Amino acid sequence: MNTISEYWETIWQYRDTFRSGFWVTLQICVLSATGALLIGSLVAIARISPVPPLRAAGTAYVTIFRNTPLTVIMFFAAFALPELGSNADFLRIPGLDKIFGRLGTDLPYFRFAVLALSMYTAAFVCEAIRSGINAVPAGQAEAARSLGLTFIQNLRHVVLPQAWKAAIVPLGSVIIAMIKNSALAGFFGVVGDLSQSANSLTSAGGEPVIPIFIGISIGYLILTVPLGLLLDQVEKRRAVTR
Amino acid sequence: MRIKNLVAVAAIAALGLVAAACGDDSDDSSDVEVADNPTFAAGTTMERLANAGTINIGTKIDQPGFGMNNLDGKPEGFDVEISKIIAGKLGISPDKINWVETQSAVREEYIEQGKVDFITATYTINDKRKERVDFAGPYYEAGQSLMVRKGDDSIKGPEAFRAGDKTVCSVTGSTPAENIKQYLANEASQLVLFDTYDKCRDALQNEQVDAVTTDNVILLGYISKAEDAFQLAGDTFTTEPYGVGLKKGDTEFRNFINDVLEEAAESGAYEEAWKNTAGKFDSNTPELPQIDRY
């Protein structure tokens, strides 16, 4: 019992570090999730499009990013892009960098982490959306086509609204996995996120490992558990409507 | 080089130790002065070693500029030269020294177990270590420093980071990383931390950061491998005194080494040892720090 209260003391002592780490992680997650959903949707559309080169490109994207370890993608983003002369400056989006201050700094590692995490997660987002689309009975799309709807109209008004319902839960799982994957950012130059904070508290600060890691776990759980609960709710409601 | 070798050979021949110079034409070690049959009080470590004519010295073999194996498998560096000077005063020529690799974690044990007679291995003196071993010296004060791209004169020291427009890289969880934080205007936009210094070096080379900070000795190692790409910026801004580690309680040996170090500083052997080794990458020739005769 004594050790547990000691643990709490250590965690409480560093509450500010955990809090600031939580905000940085949250920023990475919000930006990456947005990026992943955008890129993933585009790739999914490419993969089901009637244009063969687009389909091939979409398939290639998923094959590459789904099958490469995230660590390797992070590494390429953080060390290969600079070698090619890019600091991912296109992510210095005006306006957005007012809210997410680190997007606009001279240090590119926050942008690299967001980019890598978005690209990697997008492959899984694409597949989740595609599985949703596949769940829509083929007759729906055929009926829409026979009514003279174009490919885009077909997707927008008939297929995607139904696919969305089937895809939302797997998509949520993908995003939860992404939040946990964001811990890697701290090892590729992002200073002050949850995982990097833990690292510096334990090695330079000489703090015991267990309470610190309990502390950062709480940070991740605050992000993931509510998302998981929300997904459960969505699923229940879907069961009712069916 | 040829003239230098001739002088060295002549000097050693005069001491009656011609053998030491043979086949040793690329290395500066032949310059080290070797005492001719020195005498020491009976029962001391110095007497034992002088009589044995050989000595076991611990050093590092992976620290450029301080202790690093050359292509022949012999260590070279400032630590090594300091050891050779000490051994020379015991009448032991460099080729009679038995070098032992002592990694950071095993240094105290090797001394306690008698595997080495003394250690020069970028060995920082601190109170915790003094509980197990004794230290002669310090013979050098290392410290945290900054490495920048060659020709970048905009950073002269850690104060350069106060303005907030310069970025710096270090290793996550390291003491240098904590030290530099007090000089930063904004951690989020100025500090990058990686797990190894190699990544920091790459980031410096590719201009993601403006400087890398850690102990100058580690930085010298990187500069030694890429002298055209990097340079040190300014002086050290923390202090890490390097000492000669030896068996606890052997005060006579410790005093002897301290005397040798002071003599070497006076005779210029200390300065020469620096210039032939770490001084090739760091133009600031150090002075022998105040010896701590505790």
Side-chain angles (χ1 to χ4, degrees):
Chain A
M1 278 332 259
N2 195 19
T3 48
I4 290 180
S5 66
E6 275 172 26
Y7 284 177
W8 274 120
E9 247 168 59
T10 313
I11 294 171
W12 186 247
Q13 188 188 342
Y14 291 106
R15 60 189 183 280
D16 286 342
T17 313
F18 290 129
R19 194 186 301 140
S20 65
F22 176 82
W23 286 120
V24 175
T25 295
L26 181 66
Q27 288 188 19
I28 295 176
C29 291
V30 168
L31 289 167
S32 304
T34 314
L37 289 172
L38 278 175
I39 303 170
S41 308
L42 291 177
V43 178
I45 290 168
R47 281 203 77 177
I48 56 163
S49 82
V51 188
L54 267 183
R55 280 208 301 273
T59 310
Y61 182 94
V62 171
T63 307
I64 290 169
F65 282 92
R66 193 171 56 169
N67 297 317
T68 311
L70 178 56
T71 318
V72 175
I73 294 174
M74 284 269 188
F75 193 89
F76 272 113
F79 299 103
L81 280 183
E83 203 78 47
L84 297 171
S86 167
N87 276 347
D89 286 328
F90 56 87
L91 283 177
R92 291 187 177 197
I93 302 160
L96 208 56
D97 59 4
K98 294 283 181 295
I99 310 166
F100 302 98
R102 292 194 186 211
L103 271 186
T105 59
D106 283 341
L107 279 181
Y109 295 100
F110 183 85
R111 293 193 292 275
F112 288 151
V114 168
L115 186 65
L117 209 49
S118 303
M119 302 281 278
Y120 175 79
T121 312
F124 295 89
V125 167
C126 163
E127 291 305 277
I129 291 175
R130 232 165 46 87
S131 78
I133 290 169
N134 287 339
V136 178
Q140 296 279 331
E142 282 161 13
R145 216 179 307 143
S146 67
L147 286 173
L149 296 185
T150 64
F151 173 70
I152 296 294
Q153 285 172 331
N154 193 342
L155 276 183
R156 193 172 171 291
H157 298 290
V158 179
V159 177
L160 281 185
Q162 300 182 72
W164 181 247
K165 280 186 190 157
I168 182 89
V169 173
L171 268 181
S173 301
V174 166
I175 298 302
I176 287 177
M178 190 212 72
I179 292 171
K180 295 185 287 180
N181 285 339
S182 76
L184 267 180
F187 298 90
F188 289 92
V190 175
V191 173
D193 82 321
L194 275 172
S195 63
Q196 196 276 329
S197 303
N199 214 347
S200 72
L201 284 178
T202 51
S203 41
E207 291 299 330
V209 171
I210 293 172
I212 298 300
F213 276 81
I214 292 176
I216 68 153
S217 304
I218 293 172
Y220 285 108
L221 290 174
I222 291 175
L223 291 170
T224 50
V225 169
L227 190 53
L229 292 176
L230 183 77
L231 288 175
D232 288 350
Q233 280 309 113
V234 170
E235 208 174 2
K236 268 186 206 145
R237 222 192 286 163
R238 254 183 47 202
V240 173
T241 53
R242 204 170 266 170
Chain B
M1 203 58 201
R2 176 161 298 188
I3 290 173
K4 201 173 177 189
N5 276 339
L6 278 175
V7 173
V9 169
I12 290 163
L15 289 167
L17 287 164
V18 184
C22 290
D24 207 2
D25 43 28
S26 63
D27 167 347
D28 299 308
S29 63
S30 42
D31 300 1
V32 174
E33 189 189 329
V34 179
D36 187 14
N37 289 327
T39 51
F40 298 102
T44 58
T45 309
M46 293 82 84
E47 192 212 19
R48 175 174 64 79
L49 293 170
N51 287 346
T54 175
I55 187 169
N56 297 323
I57 300 177
T59 189
K60 288 198 175 166
I61 62 166
D62 54 3
Q63 189 65 71
F66 279 73
M68 172 104 171
N69 269 5
N70 64 15
L71 293 177
D72 300 333
K74 287 182 188 159
E76 287 179 346
F78 186 60
D79 281 347
V80 172
E81 290 306 307
I82 292 289
S83 283
K84 285 177 184 169
I85 291 171
I86 297 168
K89 291 288 178 189
L90 291 165
I92 301 167
S93 62
D95 61 323
K96 293 279 193 287
I97 296 171
N98 179 27
W99 297 105
V100 180
E101 184 195 357
T102 46
Q103 291 169 347
S104 297
V106 302
R107 291 179 293 202
E108 288 84 11
E109 268 144 54
Y110 273 37
I111 292 173
E112 284 172 343
Q113 294 166 358
K115 285 184 178 169
V116 291
D117 295 302
F118 66 82
I119 282 181
T120 51
T122 62
Y123 201 1
T124 305
I125 302 174
N126 66 35
D127 288 341
K128 191 146 192 187
R129 287 173 179 162
K130 275 188 186 170
E131 288 170 12
R132 294 177 69 184
V133 299
D134 270 339
F135 285 102
Y139 59 90
Y140 179 67
E141 274 183 348
Q144 191 171 342
S145 187
L146 296 162
M147 179 168 84
V148 297
R149 284 180 295 275
K150 190 95 185 173
D152 180 358
D153 295 326
S154 61
I155 295 174
K156 296 258 193 283
E159 298 295 330
F161 298 109
R162 292 217 193 271
D165 60 339
K166 295 283 178 190
T167 53
V168 62
C169 184
S170 192
V171 160
T172 190
S174 67
T175 314
E178 296 301 311
N179 284 338
I180 197 71
K181 283 182 184 170
Q182 58 182 304
Y183 296 100
L184 301 177
N186 179 355
E187 247 176 66
S189 62
Q190 286 185 277
L191 181 63
V192 184
L193 300 174
F194 288 122
D195 54 345
T196 65
Y197 290 111
D198 290 352
K199 287 180 183 157
C200 282
R201 178 204 53 200
D202 288 354
L204 179 64
Q205 200 156 16
N206 290 325
E207 308 192 5
Q208 271 71 50
V209 296
D210 301 311
V212 177
T213 185
T214 181
D215 288 357
N216 60 345
V217 173
I218 295 172
L219 296 178
L220 284 177
Y222 284 114
I223 295 171
S224 73
K225 287 177 203 151
E227 284 178 70
D228 303 333
F230 307 122
Q231 66 186 35
L232 283 181
D235 244 335
T236 57
F237 51 95
T238 63
T239 324
E240 299 256 0
Y242 286 174
V244 181
L246 50 102
K247 200 161 239 173
K248 184 147 183 73
D250 196 346
T251 311
E252 282 152 340
F253 194 32
R254 180 154 62 88
N255 287 337
F256 166 77
I257 293 177
N258 282 334
D259 292 342
V260 171
L261 292 174
E262 283 176 350
E263 270 174 48
E266 264 173 46
S267 72
Y270 177 87
E271 192 182 331
E272 193 182 345
W274 177 265
K275 284 188 170 157
N276 286 333
T277 56
K280 287 175 185 165
F281 324 115
D282 183 358
S283 53
N284 304 319
T285 303
E287 283 188 14
L288 182 71
Q290 180 69 39
I291 297 286
D292 178 19
R293 292 178 188 268
Y294 59 91

